[in-house]
Amino acid sequence: MDRYIINGGKILRGKVKVSGAKNSALKIIAASILSEKPVVLRNVPEIEDVKTMVEVLKMLNAKVNFDTSKNILKIDCSSINNYEAPYELVRKMRASVLVAGPLLSRFGVVKVAIPGGCNIGARQIDLHLKGFELLGAKNKVEHGYIISQSSKSENKKTTNSNAGGFLTGTTINLDFPSRGATENLMMASVLAKGTTVINNAAREAEIVDLANFLNSMGAEVYGAGTDCITINGVKTLGSADYQIMPDSIEAGTFIAAASLCGDGVIISNAIWNNLEIFCLKLRNIGIDIENYSDNEIIVKDSIFLSSSKKQFKPVYISTLPYPGFPTDLQPIIAVILSIVPGVSIITENVFENRFMYTEELNRMGANIKVDGHHAVITGVEKLSGAPVKAFDLRAGAAMVLAGLAAEGTTEVYDIFHIKRGYEKFEQKLSALGADIKVS
């Protein structure tokens, strides 16, 4: 199985361009199901999760062409006549369940495999299903699948229909601002009759990107980016030619790499407003980082090049849904804190198993003690290369960053996790001066 071999201690210099957002692309690909007109998506990252979502659409009998040389994805969902997302695909990528809302909205029925938990913790879809019920669907579970069907579709032919109107607008009050539930229910409501209001909605930039895409096809979605989203149902949606937003988590990963061992690294296609709380925490630590120009962030120096670590200070971090500190960047910043003098504390409030990577980081010489959903990090002088494992996507990226900053050679195993969400990761790092290869 492929692994990364990293010889640490190299200085990173130059400019790196951030790819399209994984968490935006996957949902927008699913949303293309809502229209029988052609859709063109640009800036789509060539990553394993996108390839899996493409396979899901093909299983539904959509026509899909992915030009990876140009990052352009062309989708035609006019021929969809299958409403099932099978287990073999859902188990590979949990986001596959987000075809449920579009299928239910357009055709009145969907059958989707029950997704399992993932390494960072169980992420239940109860909120999705409760929302579907409020919109007028009935849910049942059998043989490992969830079947949601509108009562209106039972007496109406759904095959190749684009009429929508199977669901009825309502008010949905989410118990938790779940991004996945917000997205699925937004998509389910687009072709519903009447108006749907989602309260306590997730507020991430990817929610705004999805709403903008839906509106570009003729939907009427208002309030995305706030905790109250209103959707006026429409009868049909048209075609679209849409550009996916940049990936904030990838941007944060390269910002962290530059903070560890960079010398004036510019991260382009990075939106400061989407990363502000992360960047301000880095400033609190003592990293010289600024909004360099339109959609560019520069890290001027790094811990590795500093003549003294005394300028760097420990911090306290608590992960929360946006606009709080993003849980996906929690393992990333932990690598930085592992070599910052003093004691830092991270509190994880989103996923219960997010700290599994700390054992691997400790094998590299870090001093991290985990107590429940708190991690106490006592900064050490340096990290040492060692064989480590990528437990999940972001933990894997964190291990790569640790290898860049460590003395000696680090081997990162199970890098298929990393390839799920980072496009040309090793090539981009190599272009900055890192010594990293796949073996």
Side-chain angles (χ1 to χ4, degrees):
M1 192 169 293
D2 286 350
R3 58 180 172 166
Y4 283 138
I5 299 178
I6 305 163
N7 292 312
K10 307 300 181 183
I11 304 301
L12 306 183
R13 294 185 176 92
K15 179 185 287 190
V16 60
K17 184 178 180 181
V18 173
S19 299
K22 174 184 85 79
N23 288 330
S24 188
L26 298 178
K27 320 311 167 54
I28 288 176
I29 293 170
S32 66
I33 292 169
L34 288 161
S35 176
E36 63 177 6
K37 301 296 183 181
V39 167
V40 177
L41 302 178
R42 303 180 188 274
N43 199 34
V44 179
E46 184 189 358
I47 55 176
E48 291 304 314
D49 275 9
V50 163
K51 293 176 184 177
T52 299
M53 186 62 84
V54 165
E55 289 304 309
V56 172
L57 261 62
K58 288 181 177 178
M59 289 284 290
L60 300 174
N61 293 321
K63 299 181 179 69
V64 188
N65 178 266
F66 191 10
D67 185 346
T68 56
S69 66
K70 297 180 180 178
N71 295 99
I72 295 176
L73 185 63
K74 296 180 179 179
I75 304 171
D76 182 351
C77 291
S78 60
S79 57
I80 287 181
N81 57 10
N82 178 27
Y83 319 117
E84 178 181 331
Y87 174 73
E88 58 264 29
L89 292 177
V90 176
R91 70 176 179 83
K92 290 173 63 177
M93 185 188 67
R94 197 182 178 284
S96 304
V97 302
L98 287 168
V99 301
L103 287 172
L104 184 60
S105 188
R106 181 175 164 191
F107 300 105
V109 61
V110 63
K111 180 179 179 181
V112 60
I114 298 173
C118 66
N119 288 342
I120 56 174
R123 292 184 280 187
Q124 303 301 324
I125 61 171
D126 302 20
L127 298 180
H128 305 231
L129 300 180
K130 289 177 182 177
F132 292 163
E133 289 180 353
L134 290 171
L135 290 165
K138 297 177 181 177
N139 301 313
K140 63 179 179 180
V141 178
E142 59 182 27
H143 307 298
Y145 281 81
I146 297 167
I147 301 171
S148 294
Q149 184 167 13
S150 163
S151 57
K152 295 181 182 179
S153 72
E154 295 173 357
N155 300 314
K156 185 175 180 180
K157 186 178 179 181
T158 62
T159 303
N160 291 326
S161 168
N162 193 45
F166 294 106
L167 303 175
T168 302
T170 186
T171 297
I172 301 171
N173 298 309
L174 294 177
D175 295 335
F176 177 82
S178 161
R179 184 165 62 191
T182 299
E183 291 160 337
N184 229 346
L185 297 175
M186 280 172 59
M187 293 185 284
S189 303
V190 165
L191 298 178
K193 290 183 177 180
T195 298
T196 300
V197 177
I198 304 175
N199 291 316
N200 198 26
R203 299 164 57 186
E204 282 84 355
E206 291 84 359
I207 301 289
V208 178
D209 209 29
L210 174 59
N212 289 341
F213 170 70
L214 293 170
N215 289 342
S216 75
M217 293 195 296
E220 296 182 13
V221 182
Y222 306 96
T226 75
D227 61 0
C228 180
I229 299 175
T230 301
I231 305 105
N232 295 328
V234 297
K235 290 185 178 180
T236 59
L237 294 178
S239 59
D241 189 322
Y242 192 81
Q243 175 123 338
I244 304 295
M245 65 173 280
D247 195 310
S248 297
I249 305 303
E250 182 189 345
T253 303
F254 282 111
I255 289 169
S259 300
L260 285 164
C261 47
D263 182 15
V265 176
I266 298 173
I267 298 90
S268 70
N269 216 23
I271 301 173
W272 179 275
N273 287 343
N274 295 343
L275 286 158
E276 187 170 28
I277 191 169
F278 177 70
C279 293
L280 292 180
K281 282 293 182 182
L282 292 179
R283 280 184 178 173
N284 291 342
I285 292 170
I287 304 297
D288 189 354
I289 178 174
E290 66 179 51
N291 196 1
Y292 183 62
S293 63
D294 289 344
N295 293 350
E296 287 189 336
I297 294 172
I298 184 170
V299 181
K300 294 183 177 180
D301 59 8
S302 63
I303 296 175
F304 190 82
L305 287 178
S306 175
S307 59
S308 172
K309 287 189 178 182
K310 292 181 180 179
Q311 72 185 74
F312 302 107
K313 307 295 181 185
V315 294
Y316 295 88
I317 292 171
S318 182
T319 66
L320 289 169
Y322 186 86
F325 192 95
T327 182
D328 280 351
L329 288 175
Q330 183 256 98
I332 304 300
I333 202 167
V335 178
I336 297 174
L337 296 176
S338 69
I339 55 172
V340 169
V343 178
S344 298
I345 297 176
I346 297 178
T347 300
E348 174 59 49
N349 294 305
V350 181
F351 294 124
E352 64 269 25
N353 294 333
R354 190 108 229 192
F355 287 131
M356 289 200 307
Y357 70 89
T358 58
E359 294 182 5
E360 301 299 285
L361 203 50
N362 283 343
R363 296 184 70 246
M364 299 180 68
N367 183 355
I368 306 175
K369 294 180 173 59
V370 175
D371 183 7
H373 62 123
H374 303 286
V376 180
I377 305 174
T378 303
V380 297
E381 182 64 26
K382 62 183 179 180
L383 299 175
S384 299
V388 292
K389 180 180 178 181
F391 279 107
D392 59 71
L393 170 56
R394 306 307 174 186
M399 292 303 103
V400 171
L401 297 189
L404 295 177
E407 287 188 350
T409 301
T410 298
E411 298 178 13
V412 182
Y413 290 83
D414 291 350
I415 63 173
F416 64 89
H417 286 297
I418 301 170
K419 292 181 177 295
R420 285 185 45 224
Y422 289 90
E423 182 180 43
K424 298 180 173 65
F425 195 36
E426 64 273 19
Q427 293 94 322
K428 290 182 179 182
L429 288 170
S430 294
L432 291 174
D435 185 347
I436 176 173
K437 63 181 181 180
V438 177
S439 175

